[in-house]
Amino acid sequence: MLKGGGVLYNTSMTTVYTLVPSTEHIYPDHPERPARLDDLTPRLESIPAERIPATAATPEQVALVHDPKLVAAIDDVCRTQAPAVIDYAPTFVTPTSYRDALLAIGGTLACTRAVQTGEAHNAFAIVRPPGHHAEPGRAMGFCLFNNIAIAARQVLADGLERVLIVDYDAHHGNGTQAAFLHDERVGFVSTHQWGIYPGTGTALDAPHAKKRIVNVPLPAYAGDSCFAQITEEIIRPTFEAIRPQMLFVSAGFDAHWNDPITSLGLSTAGFFHISKRLVELAAEFCGGKVVFVLEGGYDPHNVANGAEAVFRALTNPRSTLEVGDASPHREPEITSRLAEIREWHGF
């Protein structure tokens, strides 16, 4: 367990989670692999949260976001050509990947449903394959279908009027942005390292959607202090502009400073701090309704620590957290960059 001050967890708040490890969705030497969850899985036994079952989503639910032609194409390639690489990221499929992806969506929807109906206070969908790069008509970036976008579209179909998605994965959530580019009911904030895959997410994106689609491209080694600034100067004003009724969080632990394929600078304490503030903002603006969804993170130890930080934020955000993995890198100055973003959006 992570060591922290005060009471470890507050079990009076109901937190649920789903676990979809997709053990057969695996490709030789690929970083998006089942072993990402190896360090986390045994820790879940001591997390004061209830595991709920995940059932596979239907093609109709996937089609809330994705072109039915894409859904059929992924099904076909998994049945007839897998194992195979289907884009340059590289994104791979195996014979089970279509079913695995439907179960990942289903796990995200199960968490969403529990929070939406009040059966749970909040939730964390620990699922793979991840989703935030998958665009409506294209699988890419290790992602087949966009788990979080489908969940957001589902609650809108069920009657909610406004939702917000915050994405703190190290990579830009291009698929989520594409899904809601012209949907005024959905706000989207993405913090991401600039200059890496997929090369999208400039601060001046979507000029028609100021205060709603908000990109925060960051230099390498932006870490705990930078993200604390971003939370107060960018994310909170977006909450104020959107007034969401539900919050979704794309939790990417590749934003850790020693992730093997990225170069941002968060520590485990940093993941706890931003997750804690998001939980607090959800309490202030949308009755505490928040669902975290796993995206990237390619070091199993960082994924386990990051997930525990999220669970701590969900179950006892008033606690503290000390893990001892602070970034050794000097953080860049981002005050002027955030000022430019605030000016662009009129915050």
Side-chain angles (χ1 to χ4, degrees), residues 235-260:
I235 296 177
R236 182 183 177 85
T238 307
F239 269 89
E240 293 170 346
I242 301 296
R243 312 297 298 188
Q245 296 165 300
M246 195 163 183
L247 172 66
F248 293 89
V249 182
S250 278
F253 302 121
D254 50 359
H256 194 280
W257 63 267
N258 73 342
D259 185 86

Side-chain angles (χ1 to χ4, degrees), residues 61-97:
Q61 288 173 313
V62 184
L64 288 169
V65 168
H66 295 287
D67 188 328
K69 292 180 180 179
L70 173 66
V71 182
I74 296 297
D75 183 18
D76 180 70
V77 74
C78 290
R79 285 187 293 103
T80 64
Q81 300 179 40
V85 170
I86 60 173
D87 93 326
Y88 76 94
T91 304
F92 68 89
V93 293
T94 71
T96 69
S97 294

Side-chain angles (χ1 to χ4, degrees), residues 95 116 150 170 180 261 271:
Q116 184 182 9
I150 293 166
F180 299 112
I261 66 175
F271 285 124

Side-chain angles (χ1 to χ4, degrees), residues 1-342:
M1 295 294 294
L2 297 178
K3 297 179 180 179
V7 178
L8 184 60
Y9 289 108
N10 177 1
T11 56
S12 66
M13 299 196 309
T14 303
T15 297
V16 300
Y17 72 95
T18 51
L19 178 64
V20 180
S22 299
T23 56
E24 295 181 73
H25 178 69
I26 185 171
Y27 200 81
D29 301 319
H30 199 285
E32 207 295 285
R33 61 197 190 278
R36 294 174 58 211
L37 305 182
D38 281 357
D39 286 8
L40 171 60
T41 302
R43 300 193 199 186
L44 293 173
E45 297 178 2
S46 55
I47 296 291
E50 179 184 352
R51 181 175 176 179
I52 60 175
T55 57
T58 66
E60 292 75 21
Q61 288 173 313
V62 184
L64 288 169
V65 168
H66 295 287
D67 188 328
K69 292 180 180 179
L70 173 66
V71 182
I74 296 297
D75 183 18
D76 180 70
V77 74
C78 290
R79 285 187 293 103
T80 64
Q81 300 179 40
V85 170
I86 60 173
D87 93 326
Y88 76 94
T91 304
F92 68 89
V93 293
T94 71
T96 69
S97 294
Y98 178 70
R99 297 193 301 274
D100 293 333
L102 294 184
L103 195 59
I105 298 165
T108 306
L109 289 172
C111 285
T112 301
R113 191 176 307 111
V115 173
Q116 184 182 9
T117 61
E119 296 175 21
H121 187 68
N122 48 43
F124 189 6
I126 303 168
V127 298
R128 57 177 297 276
H132 74 148
H133 290 308
E135 297 183 348
R138 180 184 179 192
M140 60 181 289
F142 309 169
C143 303
L144 301 183
F145 303 124
N146 197 315
N147 306 310
I148 206 165
I150 293 166
R153 189 62 57 77
Q154 182 66 66
V155 297
L156 293 169
D158 291 341
L160 291 191
E161 297 176 349
R162 298 175 308 281
V163 301
L164 176 62
I165 301 170
V166 175
D167 185 333
Y168 61 66
D169 188 277
H171 302 88
H172 179 235
N174 61 291
T176 309
Q177 176 171 306
F180 299 112
L181 191 61
H182 299 291
D183 191 336
E184 295 185 356
R185 301 171 297 174
V186 181
F188 176 62
V189 182
S190 176
T191 58
H192 47 273
Q193 183 179 342
W194 185 244
I196 65 172
Y197 184 92
T200 55
T202 75
L204 306 183
D205 271 6
H208 69 285
K210 292 181 180 181
K211 295 187 179 180
R212 186 175 68 79
I213 293 179
V214 184
N215 284 308
V216 187
L218 294 168
Y221 308 122
D224 295 359
S225 295
C226 290
F227 275 77
Q229 279 186 269
I230 293 163
T231 304
E232 304 309 319
E233 297 183 25
I234 304 295
I235 296 177
R236 182 183 177 85
T238 307
F239 269 89
E240 293 170 346
I242 301 296
R243 312 297 298 188
Q245 296 165 300
M246 195 163 183
L247 172 66
F248 293 89
V249 182
S250 278
F253 302 121
D254 50 359
H256 194 280
W257 63 267
N258 73 342
D259 185 86
I261 66 175
T262 64
S263 301
L264 280 180
L266 279 170
S267 69
T268 301
F271 285 124
F272 172 66
H273 179 80
I274 188 172
S275 301
K276 169 186 173 179
R277 286 296 292 130
L278 290 171
V279 169
E280 291 169 347
L281 289 166
E284 180 178 352
F285 287 93
C286 45
K289 292 184 181 297
V290 55
V291 177
F292 283 72
V293 182
L294 180 64
E295 299 287 0
Y298 304 101
D299 178 278
H301 187 65
N302 294 342
V303 170
N305 280 346
E308 273 204 81
V310 168
F311 276 116
R312 177 75 67 83
L314 290 171
T315 58
N316 189 14
R318 290 172 294 185
S319 67
T320 59
L321 180 63
E322 297 179 6
V323 177
D325 64 347
S327 172
H329 302 287
R330 182 176 179 177
E331 293 197 40
E333 189 279 322
I334 63 166
T335 300
S336 58
R337 177 163 299 185
L338 297 189
E340 293 171 355
I341 295 171
R342 288 173 59 84

